[in-house]
Amino acid sequence: AQGVAHDQHLRERGARSRASADFAEVAEAIALVRSGAVTPQIGSRMPLPAIVQGYRAFATRAQRGKVVIDVG
């Protein structure tokens, strides 16, 4: 259901998928996550020393969801 709501939100805004965002777009995305309107799907979480494996997991699309790299 949340995926449908997210897709509807993007259609209403005329948003298109792209690889980068400006500060205002990032701030809006954070607000949507904080409000619960959007729930990011995390596919895996890895420590910074495993960043190469993180990039490989992302590139192969072998998993569903985002790859999160913990830096601290």
Side-chain angles (χ1 to χ4, degrees), residues 1-2 41 59:
Q2 285 186 339
Q41 183 176 3

Side-chain angles (χ1 to χ4, degrees), residues 2 18 23-24 27-28 32 40 45 49-50 53 56 66 69 71:
Q2 285 186 339
R18 62 178 195 223
F23 181 83
E28 180 181 7
L32 288 169
R45 185 172 214 120
Q53 291 88 344
R56 286 184 184 138
K66 301 297 181 187
I69 305 297
V71 295

Side-chain angles (χ1 to χ4, degrees), residues 13-59:
R13 300 232 16 223
R16 290 181 175 72
S17 179
R18 62 178 195 223
S20 63
D22 64 26
F23 181 83
E25 291 167 328
V26 171
E28 180 181 7
I30 291 170
L32 288 169
V33 171
R34 282 187 179 155
S35 74
V38 175
T39 304
Q41 183 176 3
I42 298 174
S44 64
R45 185 172 214 120
M46 301 176 183
L48 185 58
I51 195 166
V52 172
Q53 291 88 344
Y55 273 107
R56 286 184 184 138
F58 175 76

